[in-house]
Amino acid sequence: MHSMHATLFSVASLLTLLLAEPALRAATYAPASTAAIDWTPNVASGVGVPGGIPARSTIYTTLTTTGDMTDRLADIYAALIACPAGQTVKLGPGPFAISYTEFRQHHLGGKTLRGSGSDPATGTVIHVLPGGNGIKLRGSDTYLSPLTGEITGTPAKGATTLAAANLTTWLVNRLVELQTENDDTLPVMSVGGSPFIKRQTVLVTAVDTGAGTMTFQPPLYQTPVKRTGGALVMRWLSHTGALAPILGAGLEDFVIDGLASDTHTLLSAGGMHGCWFKNIRVKNTYRHGMYFGESAQIELRDCVIMPTRDTNWGSSNHGGLGLGAVSGSLFENNIIEKHFPLIKMEGAACAGNVFGYNFILQHYGYYVGVTHNAGNHCNLWEGNAMTSIQTDGYFGSAADDVVFRNDLHGVVIDPFTTPFYAYPVQLSRFTRRWEIVGNQLGRTGTTYGIETWLPTAFNGSSNGVANNYAGDPHVDLLLTGVLTTRTGDGTGTVTLDTTVGQLENPDVSQLGVTWGTGLAATGRYGVGKGEVNPTTRVVTLTGGGYESVLPAQGTAVRLWPNANGYRERDDATAQSLVRLGNYYAKDNVGIPAVEALGSTTLPASLYRSSAPSFMAGYNWPPYDPVTRDTRFAAIPAGARYEATRNQTPRMPTISPISTSKN
């Protein structure tokens, strides 16, 4: 486990070496929390499509527009089914209307559906008809099978083979979620009590039932840190018959227009490996632009998620790019604007992904959320021009992300001519071992920098202080007791072993109830309402729950107060944070002395050995905390954004709306 103590020790040791040996005085920064993770693009152990996106120049057939809103889904289905693997079905320029879609492996696996460009005026525009669901790729059920048992041995970071007692039902080219039991001391936790929330999605590449081993890719991102009696388990996505994973599919060069439909998401896909989405523009979204789930080593590049058309877009669940249980994937050179939030990892943990050289601009509030679920870890954010980056802590923990050489400008524009500033970095409760290195933070005139003091992004005040590293956990983590009475499957009373703690609004708290340890800790019941009596330490469970039913009367249980609990400030978030070489525009601080690079040099990139082709003609790297470039057009995605606007977004010097508490 990487801790502040370990960091201080390593720094002291390094200083000793530097003083003793002049030849060692130059050091190149490398992230400590994610050491040995391979973020190399397009290799089996790295991110994105292994081998790279194939050109697939052979056109099996070209479908031409009818020029109207005739439903063309049947034509597209038929062409794709007949298309040989390794070839392309092309859509000519003009409008194509589609109804309710569900593309599967036999439609798209190993094939490409390509339009004639993503310019709405001259390219291919796919219109979603009323009642349609956008373009949906379905490579699995969204539900996981029951746990199959604990993985044997002690696998380490970088492992590509695991041993387990029961592998008889496992098949090659199936997707698996590797899950580690929660450990609240790290914390690796879900505030609602969901177990096994730290996850990584992988593709099974070989199974040896005789040896009891499974080989997979990408490699394991972290050595599992198990609590006493804890477990690393496998759950496999439901793949039967036509619901086999979608492998090697590509969607390219078209517009998806949702103006005629109220579908929530214009492009959604799950259960994929080695698939890509290139030069796609989504416009007139009702809520979400794109959502990807339960997938590994996919790629999103050169795409545009345009502003939502919903006038209530600033409310919850209007995300631009949503992700859940996605691992080892590459999101590069895209534009996302005017959604809330702009990027959201939700539903299940995302791990080992790279977000590189994207232009992400907020037009409302300050929330460019990156973690809205528990267990996200080991993701890299590099070279992006973003309003801000945030872990909201709402549903649980996030750990070991690296934020490197970005322009986190903090500018919010709504409407276009009246910008204001937000915090460039907001790390809320249960964030651990993040590394913020070599970034441009804010703009001249603002007092905002890095914020770590809020319990969550939505709770503006705290009622105490907690620090797991100091043996002082959140009071709400200690709510254990006995199910004293059981009056129904979801009703009864729990007598707590400890004081009630600092539950927020205890008479109306929503509670999660868990019981058992290790693999038996899968017992879970969510209670719609729990009435707490702080004098008697009795919690009355009033039902309205989900997932299983309450256990037998007399069972030892644990209570979890869901998102509105845990109102103490989490000091371990700041304590475990690594800050180095960031330029703070706030108060014209520059690079503060405590973050001085000294003899440390920053590499141009943490995932590319040289400039990618799309950066031709641009400075590489585009962002540097010493020389600084505050233009949106410092990266191609920003230049494309400015080229589509009638005026260049101005970056004004204005008075801040509040003061940083950092």
Side-chain angles (χ1 to χ4, degrees):
M1 170 179 165
H2 178 68
S3 69
M4 180 59 69
H5 299 293
T7 301
L8 293 174
F9 175 79
S10 61
V11 170
S13 301
L14 179 60
L15 288 174
T16 300
L17 289 172
L18 294 178
L19 291 172
E21 179 53 67
L24 297 179
R25 286 178 183 168
T28 300
Y29 163 76
S33 60
T34 53
I37 288 181
D38 189 355
W39 284 314
T40 305
N42 308 127
V43 298
S45 60
V47 298
V49 177
I53 295 176
R56 290 187 181 160
S57 57
T58 300
I59 307 299
Y60 169 71
T61 189
T62 299
L63 302 179
T64 57
T65 180
T66 59
D68 55 24
M69 295 293 280
T70 301
D71 188 351
R72 302 296 303 279
L73 184 58
D75 297 336
I76 295 172
Y77 273 163
L80 286 170
I81 291 172
C83 179
Q87 296 187 24
T88 295
V89 170
K90 186 170 183 179
L91 305 178
F96 287 78
I98 58 171
S99 52
Y100 197 89
T101 65
E102 192 169 282
F103 293 99
R104 299 185 180 182
Q105 168 69 5
H106 66 284
H107 295 115
L108 270 170
K111 309 168 189 179
T112 297
L113 178 63
R114 181 182 301 146
S116 298
S118 63
D119 185 326
T122 60
T124 301
V125 181
I126 297 177
H127 295 273
V128 182
L129 291 170
N133 63 340
I135 292 182
K136 180 177 182 179
L137 279 63
R138 187 181 179 199
S140 73
D141 285 329
T142 56
Y143 300 101
L144 299 172
S145 69
L147 298 174
T148 59
E150 183 176 357
I151 293 171
T152 58
T154 307
K157 177 193 299 184
T160 56
T161 300
L162 296 174
N166 179 14
L167 288 172
T168 57
T169 61
W170 295 83
L171 298 174
V172 173
N173 287 334
R174 294 298 190 261
L175 291 168
V176 170
E177 278 193 11
L178 305 176
Q179 303 181 2
T180 304
E181 188 185 9
N182 299 1
D183 187 339
D184 311 325
T185 63
L186 293 178
V188 178
M189 62 165 295
S190 165
V191 300
S194 297
F196 300 98
I197 56 91
K198 194 169 187 178
R199 304 177 181 181
Q200 178 179 338
T201 304
V202 299
L203 179 76
V204 178
T205 57
V207 175
D208 187 334
T209 54
T213 59
M214 176 195 76
T215 303
F216 59 90
Q217 68 181 62
L220 197 62
Y221 294 128
Q222 290 188 327
T223 297
V225 179
K226 303 179 185 179
R227 63 187 304 170
T228 302
L232 176 65
V233 301
M234 295 185 295
R235 299 179 86 178
W236 64 298
L237 299 177
S238 179
H239 299 307
T240 57
L243 281 181
I246 299 175
L247 308 176
L251 270 62
E252 304 175 354
D253 302 331
F254 53 78
V255 180
I256 310 174
D257 192 332
L259 184 60
S261 171
D262 285 341
T263 184
H264 282 194
T265 307
L266 287 184
L267 173 59
S268 60
M272 305 176 294
H273 179 269
C275 296
W276 66 93
F277 305 86
K278 180 180 178 183
N279 192 29
I280 294 174
R281 179 184 298 263
V282 294
K283 60 180 296 189
N284 291 316
T285 63
Y286 178 61
R287 285 200 174 178
H288 298 86
M290 299 182 183
Y291 183 87
F292 303 111
E294 301 92 32
S295 299
Q297 295 184 305
I298 64 173
E299 201 158 326
L300 180 76
R301 63 169 50 256
D302 311 335
C303 294
V304 179
I305 300 177
M306 296 181 67
T308 175
R309 62 182 168 87
D310 187 0
T311 57
N312 195 36
W313 72 272
S315 63
S316 183
N317 297 317
H318 286 69
L321 173 62
L323 303 170
V326 173
S327 298
S329 296
L330 178 60
F331 304 88
E332 196 172 52
N333 196 33
N334 304 291
I335 298 173
I336 310 173
E337 58 170 322
K338 199 175 182 180
H339 283 268
F340 179 81
L342 290 161
I343 295 179
K344 180 166 63 172
M345 296 182 186
E346 59 180 340
C350 296
N353 303 293
V354 172
F355 300 84
Y357 307 94
N358 303 288
F359 181 83
I360 304 169
L361 182 66
Q362 183 60 292
H363 297 247
Y364 174 87
Y366 57 87
Y367 185 40
V368 184
V370 299
T371 66
H372 192 58
N373 193 72
N376 300 301
H377 62 284
C378 296
N379 301 292
L380 171 65
W381 306 81
E382 178 182 300
N384 303 284
M386 298 175 63
T387 297
S388 62
I389 193 167
Q390 182 178 62
T391 61
D392 66 26
Y394 195 68
F395 289 112
S397 63
D400 302 305
D401 276 22
V402 178
V403 183
F404 183 70
R405 284 193 182 274
N406 300 276
D407 179 28
L408 300 168
H409 49 74
V411 175
V412 180
I413 302 178
D414 183 20
F416 193 74
T417 57
T418 57
F420 63 91
Y421 287 120
Y423 284 99
V425 180
Q426 290 184 305
L427 304 181
S428 298
R429 64 184 184 186
F430 309 134
T431 301
R432 295 294 184 269
R433 302 180 302 273
W434 269 48
E435 301 192 28
I436 314 293
V437 178
N439 301 281
Q440 302 174 177
L441 302 179
R443 287 292 186 266
T444 300
T446 172
T447 60
Y448 296 127
I450 297 177
E451 174 191 76
T452 61
W453 61 275
L454 290 179
T456 77
F458 310 100
N459 296 336
S461 62
S462 61
N463 57 15
V465 177
N467 189 327
N468 290 61
Y469 288 157
D472 178 27
H474 286 70
V475 174
D476 298 349
L477 282 175
L478 308 176
L479 299 178
T480 58
V482 174
L483 187 63
T484 311
T485 64
R486 187 183 190 280
T487 55
D489 287 344
T491 58
T493 60
V494 173
T495 301
L496 295 174
D497 299 326
T498 62
T499 59
V500 172
Q502 300 183 33
L503 290 175
E504 181 72 9
N505 299 320
D507 59 327
V508 294
S509 291
Q510 292 187 340
L511 297 172
V513 183
T514 62
W515 55 95
T517 59
L519 289 177
T522 55
R524 177 172 184 261
Y525 188 77
V527 179
K529 184 177 180 181
E531 296 179 353
V532 182
N533 186 322
T535 302
T536 63
R537 297 182 295 131
V538 171
V539 180
T540 301
L541 308 177
T542 55
Y546 54 91
E547 290 193 34
S548 185
V549 297
L550 290 173
Q553 183 171 309
T555 301
V557 297
R558 187 172 182 182
L559 300 187
W560 303 83
N562 284 350
N564 286 330
Y566 313 94
R567 294 299 291 270
E568 296 149 296
R569 189 180 68 211
D570 184 359
D571 277 2
T573 293
Q575 183 178 340
S576 67
L577 176 62
V578 174
R579 308 185 191 190
L580 177 66
N582 298 293
Y583 184 98
Y584 293 78
K586 71 170 200 171
D587 302 328
N588 297 311
V589 167
I591 300 176
V594 294
E595 293 191 24
L597 289 167
S599 61
T600 301
T601 60
L602 301 180
S605 173
L606 294 179
Y607 78 103
R608 286 190 173 277
S609 58
S610 60
S613 59
F614 65 82
M615 287 293 296
Y618 291 81
N619 292 330
W620 174 257
Y623 301 122
D624 184 87
V626 176
T627 59
R628 300 184 66 226
D629 189 339
T630 59
R631 298 173 301 131
F632 282 178
I635 58 174
R640 298 201 314 272
Y641 173 86
E642 289 193 347
T644 62
R645 297 297 184 268
N646 294 326
Q647 65 184 103
T648 300
R650 63 189 183 93
M651 308 294 280
T653 298
I654 58 177
S655 299
I657 56 176
S658 66
T659 302
S660 170
K661 295 189 179 181
N662 238 29

